């Protein structure tokens, strides 16, 4: 009898797997046509250090503060508990305390807000913010996973101390470990951070974070939004990335270094919107012999040249250059899709062949069109991605937190 099992990976491997799984439903929808890696490449170009599962800017400080606390433990205590376990325990303590402070109300940005002690969560803040901590220079972990980094730094510190006291009978517990920044933390320690624990940034934290965002986001949209408060105001009130890009283009709001990427991201999103109109048209026709998206498709194909911000200069090769590891079938699809929509007349049969082949390449046995798997197709219900927002909601929250902390919101 066959059995299904789960390989017990290391904590770092589990974090990476969880990160991949969290991307399977970006922006609340499933990536049916395999374009998620291109979307993520644009997001990284515009908003480095920000991810779709980050909630509040304060977590960029809470994780380093906890590691500072470990560094301040007497060496005897450090021997009894490794930094990985310590961080895990303390992250949960902070989570439960914050959840209680915010009355377990969702929408506050507290990670694990619905949990009561001793309930836990799958992904802790250290995993969610780990890449961003390096991008913004708050922890210099050089790309190592959370637990691998903590273990390696603790072992190195332990080795250095052992060598220094080799042959000496003096107990290591007399050593003040506070002076050694073994985790290479790039922020000052706030000894009172736990006394007034909230998700609001202090002025010192906000000032530091603003500076780090400007540095990491130099010549990128992220940095522009942190440099120019009025530009962020327009960004924040825009309902979608598409709306912001159109407004910014019409008002010449973007700097010359930022504009090309924003325009290209807008036009790629619009281009892929058409592919998803086609995808949904196919599914509806297959199951219900009717197509509620037919008019949307017709309007999209007719207006594409005018709605793109830079139709004449759009080059899919520029998009592909941003994602060198993109799977060959998807690379081929993007080129063929651009050729198809720009060379009328566009036959529905050719359109459907392109979309069906790409879904099969992206989803294999789970492909609805070629595998005729239509059980979850509901009449008139959209499936897949729509306009791409490129982590826009998270960026709004993080930068607003910083401006609020600066007293300039």
């Amino acid at each position: 009898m066959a059995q299904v099992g789960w390989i017990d990976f290391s904590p770092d491997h589990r974090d990476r797997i969880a990160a991949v799984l969290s991307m399977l439903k970006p922006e609340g929808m499933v990536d049916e046509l395999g374009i998620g890696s291109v979307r993520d490449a644009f997001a990284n170009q515009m908003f480095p250090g920000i991810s779709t599962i980050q909630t509040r800017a304060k977590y960029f400080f809470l994780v380093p503060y906890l590691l500072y606390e470990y560094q301040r433990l007497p060496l005897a205590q450090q021997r009894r508990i490794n930094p990985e376990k310590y961080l895990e325990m303390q992250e949960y303590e902070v989570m439960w305390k914050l959840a209680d402070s915010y009355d377990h109300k969702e929408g506050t940005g507290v990670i694990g807000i619905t949990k009561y002690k001793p309930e836990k969560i799958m992904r802790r803040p250290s995993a969610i913010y780990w890449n961003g901590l390096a991008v913004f220079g708050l922890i210099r972990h050089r790309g190592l996973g959370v637990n691998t980094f903590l273990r390696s730094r603790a072992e190195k510190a332990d080795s250095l101390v052992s060598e220094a006291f080799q042959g000496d009978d003096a107990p290591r517990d007399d050593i003040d470990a506070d002076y050694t920044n073994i985790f290479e933390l790039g922020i000052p320690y706030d000894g009172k951070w736990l006394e007034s624990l909230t998700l609001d940034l202090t002025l010192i934290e906000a000032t530091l974070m603003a500076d780090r965002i400007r540095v990491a986001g130099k010549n990128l949209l992220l940095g522009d939004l942190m440099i120019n408060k009025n530009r962020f105001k327009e960004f924040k009130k825009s309902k979608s990335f598409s709306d912001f890009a159109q407004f910014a283009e019409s008002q010449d709001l973007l700097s010359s270094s930022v504009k090309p990427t924003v325009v290209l991201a807008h036009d790629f999103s619009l281009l892929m919107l058409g592919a998803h109109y086609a995808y949904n048209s196919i599914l509806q026709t297959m199951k219900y012999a009717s197509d509620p998206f037919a008019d949307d498709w017709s309007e999209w194909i007719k207006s594409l040249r005018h709605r793109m911000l830079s139709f004449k200069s759009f080059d899919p090769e520029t998009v592909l250059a941003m994602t060198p590891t993109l799977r060959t079938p998807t690379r081929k699809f993007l080129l063929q899709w651009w050729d198809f929509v720009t060379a009328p007349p566009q036959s529905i049969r050719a359109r459907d062949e392109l979309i069906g082949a790409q879904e099969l390449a992206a989803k294999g046995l789970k492909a609805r069109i070629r595998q005729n798997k239509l059980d979850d197709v509901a009449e008139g219900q959209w499936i897949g991605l729509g306009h791409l927002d490129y982590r826009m909601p998270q960026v709004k929250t993080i930068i607003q937190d910083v401006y609020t902390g600066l007293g300039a919101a």
Side-chain angles (χ1 to χ4, degrees):
M1 180 178 179
Q3 291 183 329
V4 177
W6 175 263
I7 299 174
D8 187 15
F9 291 103
S10 71
D12 283 340
H13 287 163
R14 289 198 298 271
D15 285 343
R16 290 173 184 173
I17 290 171
V20 172
L21 292 176
S22 72
M23 294 178 185
L24 293 180
K25 292 187 178 181
E27 301 176 2
M29 299 179 185
V30 179
D31 176 21
E32 307 292 353
L33 297 181
I35 64 166
S37 56
V38 183
R39 176 209 55 220
D40 293 344
F42 272 113
N44 290 333
Q45 280 281 338
M46 295 184 287
F47 309 120
I50 308 298
S51 76
T52 57
I53 52 178
Q54 290 173 359
T55 59
R56 298 289 297 273
K58 185 73 171 188
Y59 285 103
F60 282 113
F61 293 88
L62 295 182
V63 175
Y65 287 161
L66 289 173
L67 293 178
Y68 263 120
E69 296 291 353
Y70 181 83
Q71 291 180 165
R72 292 165 59 84
L73 292 177
L75 293 179
Q77 288 184 243
Q78 291 186 24
R79 284 199 213 101
R80 288 195 293 269
I81 182 170
N82 61 48
E84 307 102 275
K85 187 63 178 177
Y86 177 86
L87 180 60
E88 178 183 0
M89 292 169 55
Q90 296 306 314
E91 279 186 278
Y92 282 127
E93 291 294 337
V94 168
M95 179 186 80
W96 294 320
K97 184 172 182 178
L98 281 171
D100 289 341
S101 297
Y102 286 86
D103 296 323
H104 298 270
K105 294 180 180 178
E106 296 190 44
T108 58
V110 175
I111 296 175
I113 185 67
T114 63
K115 302 299 181 183
Y116 291 83
K117 194 172 185 176
E119 295 177 308
K120 297 183 178 181
I121 54 178
M122 180 180 293
R123 297 197 70 199
R124 309 193 315 272
S126 55
I128 295 172
Y129 285 77
W130 193 244
N131 176 64
L133 287 167
V135 169
F136 298 125
L138 305 175
I139 298 178
R140 290 176 280 276
H141 57 65
R142 302 173 182 85
L144 293 176
V146 181
N147 291 301
T148 299
F149 171 75
L150 297 180
R151 194 178 308 116
S152 66
R153 297 305 302 170
E155 289 173 353
K156 182 175 181 180
D158 187 68
S159 175
L160 291 173
V161 173
S162 296
E163 290 175 7
F165 283 84
Q166 188 172 15
D168 194 329
D169 292 331
R172 285 177 54 199
D173 295 346
D174 292 342
I175 304 171
D176 182 1
D178 185 32
Y179 73 93
T180 305
N181 187 3
I182 61 174
F183 299 122
E184 301 189 59
L185 306 174
I187 65 171
Y189 173 69
D190 179 2
K192 297 182 179 181
W193 71 274
L194 193 56
E195 296 176 13
S196 55
L197 181 61
T198 72
L199 290 183
D200 299 327
L201 294 178
T202 66
L203 178 58
I204 292 175
E205 292 168 343
T207 302
L208 177 62
M209 196 65 193
D211 179 65
R212 299 301 174 84
I213 288 176
R214 294 186 193 107
V215 171
K218 185 178 181 180
N219 296 326
L220 304 176
L221 181 54
L222 182 67
D224 262 24
L225 297 176
M226 196 72 259
I227 291 172
N228 191 310
K229 186 170 59 176
N230 290 328
R231 190 170 298 152
F232 174 69
K233 182 179 179 181
E234 297 299 336
F235 180 83
K236 185 183 176 184
K237 73 181 184 181
S238 297
K239 294 182 179 180
S240 68
F241 182 86
S242 177
D243 287 348
F244 171 74
Q246 292 173 33
F247 178 82
E249 168 71 0
S250 67
Q251 301 297 315
D252 197 23
L253 194 63
L254 302 172
S255 64
S256 58
S257 62
V258 170
K259 182 177 178 179
T261 302
V262 173
V263 169
L264 188 63
H266 170 277
D267 289 351
F268 174 76
S269 175
L270 185 60
L271 183 65
M272 289 300 100
L273 179 64
H276 285 84
Y277 278 137
Y279 179 66
N280 281 275
S281 290
I282 296 169
L283 296 179
Q284 293 293 314
T285 302
M286 287 178 66
K287 187 166 183 178
Y288 299 103
S290 63
D291 183 4
F293 299 105
D295 291 342
D296 295 308
W297 164 260
S298 297
E299 174 62 25
W300 178 85
I301 196 69
K302 290 176 183 177
S303 63
L304 180 63
R305 291 173 180 264
H306 306 292
R307 292 175 63 192
M308 289 179 71
L309 297 180
S310 186
F311 177 85
K312 292 183 179 180
S313 63
F314 184 88
D315 182 359
E317 292 288 357
T318 304
V319 175
L320 295 177
M322 297 172 58
T323 54
T325 60
L326 187 66
R327 295 176 67 241
T328 299
T330 303
R331 299 178 70 86
K332 182 179 178 181
F333 168 70
L334 293 179
L335 294 171
Q336 291 178 332
W337 184 249
W338 176 246
D339 289 341
F340 171 77
V341 301
T342 55
Q346 295 91 358
S347 76
I348 296 299
R349 181 177 179 180
R351 179 199 75 175
D352 293 356
E353 182 66 26
L354 272 176
I355 297 298
Q358 176 56 20
E359 189 207 20
L360 181 64
K363 299 193 65 178
L365 294 176
K366 295 182 179 180
R368 294 183 178 88
I369 298 172
R370 295 294 178 86
Q371 304 293 346
N372 198 33
K373 294 188 174 183
L374 306 175
D375 291 347
D376 63 342
V377 176
E379 190 167 10
Q381 182 174 309
W382 181 270
I383 294 178
L385 302 178
H387 284 288
L388 306 178
D389 271 344
Y390 303 108
R391 306 172 191 166
M392 184 178 188
Q394 292 74 29
V395 174
K396 286 182 178 181
T397 299
I398 297 296
I399 295 186
Q400 181 60 63
D401 279 351
V402 176
Y403 274 125
T404 299
L406 293 172

